[in-house]
């Protein structure tokens, strides 16, 4: 069996860039399930990169430029994901504040006939 990687380092970095662009698109559209699936895919690409014996492309001028393109997108993704998470938490807290089950249990005590 040949131990040669299926993709070159450059191809993996290019796929990583494309997935990063797609992550931004899906977080903007608030398609969180798709976003999370893509995060997993991107993590797999990172693991593939880390498993490579050398990182010649990443150190090359072309690789450095590609990584510099990815950095601001990563920052946007982190900011938007945190924003979505905070909004989601706020919405959950709002829903819980309207939850009347705890009050209804106390109210049932007063409705009993003695």
């Amino acid at each position: 069996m040949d131990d040669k990687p299926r993709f070159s380092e450059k191809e993996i970095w290019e796929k990583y860039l494309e997935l990063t662009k797609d992550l931004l698109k899906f977080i903007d559209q608030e398609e969180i399930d798709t976003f999370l699936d893509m995060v997993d895919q991107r993590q797999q690409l990172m693991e593939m990169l880390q498993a490579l014996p050398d990182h010649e492309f990443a150190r090359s001028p072309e690789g450095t430029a590609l990584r510099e393109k990815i950095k601001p997108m990563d920052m946007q993704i982190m900011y938007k994901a945190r924003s979505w998470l905070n909004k989601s938490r706020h919405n959950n807290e709002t829903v819980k504040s309207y939850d009347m089950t705890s009050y209804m249990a106390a109210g049932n005590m007063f409705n009993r006939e003695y």
Side-chain angles (χ1 to χ4, degrees), residues 16 19-20 38 40-41 57 60 66 69 88 93 100 107:
Y16 192 90
L19 266 174
T20 303
M38 295 181 87
D40 290 340
Q41 290 176 30
F57 177 77
S60 72
L66 192 135
K69 271 179 152 173
S88 179
E93 289 172 7
M100 298 295 286

Side-chain angles (χ1 to χ4, degrees), residues 7 15 17 32 48 61 67 85 94 114:
F7 299 105
K15 290 178 184 297
L17 173 64
I32 302 306
M48 289 170 69
R67 287 185 301 132
L85 184 59
T94 301
Y114 289 99

Side-chain angles (χ1 to χ4, degrees), residues 22-24 26-28 30-40 77-78 80-81:
D22 289 343
L23 282 172
L24 269 174
F26 287 110
I27 193 79
D28 284 341
E30 293 191 12
E31 292 185 32
I32 302 306
D33 291 334
T34 305
F35 173 80
L36 293 174
D37 288 341
M38 295 181 87
V39 167
D40 290 340
I77 289 168
M78 288 190 310
K80 290 177 182 195

Side-chain angles (χ1 to χ4, degrees), residues 10 12 19 22 24 40 42 47 51 59 84 90 94-95:
K10 180 180 178 179
I12 297 172
L19 266 174
D22 289 343
L24 269 174
D40 290 340
R42 197 172 82 143
E47 289 168 6
R59 283 182 248 142
W84 176 84
H90 176 73
T94 301
V95 167

Side-chain angles (χ1 to χ4, degrees), residues 13 15 21 24 33-34 47 51-52 54 60-61 69 75 91 98 100 104 113:
W13 273 112
K15 290 178 184 297
K21 289 177 184 177
L24 269 174
D33 291 334
T34 305
E47 289 168 6
L52 293 173
D54 58 11
S60 72
K69 271 179 152 173
M75 296 301 289
N91 289 345
Y98 287 107
M100 298 295 286
M104 292 180 75
E113 289 184 33

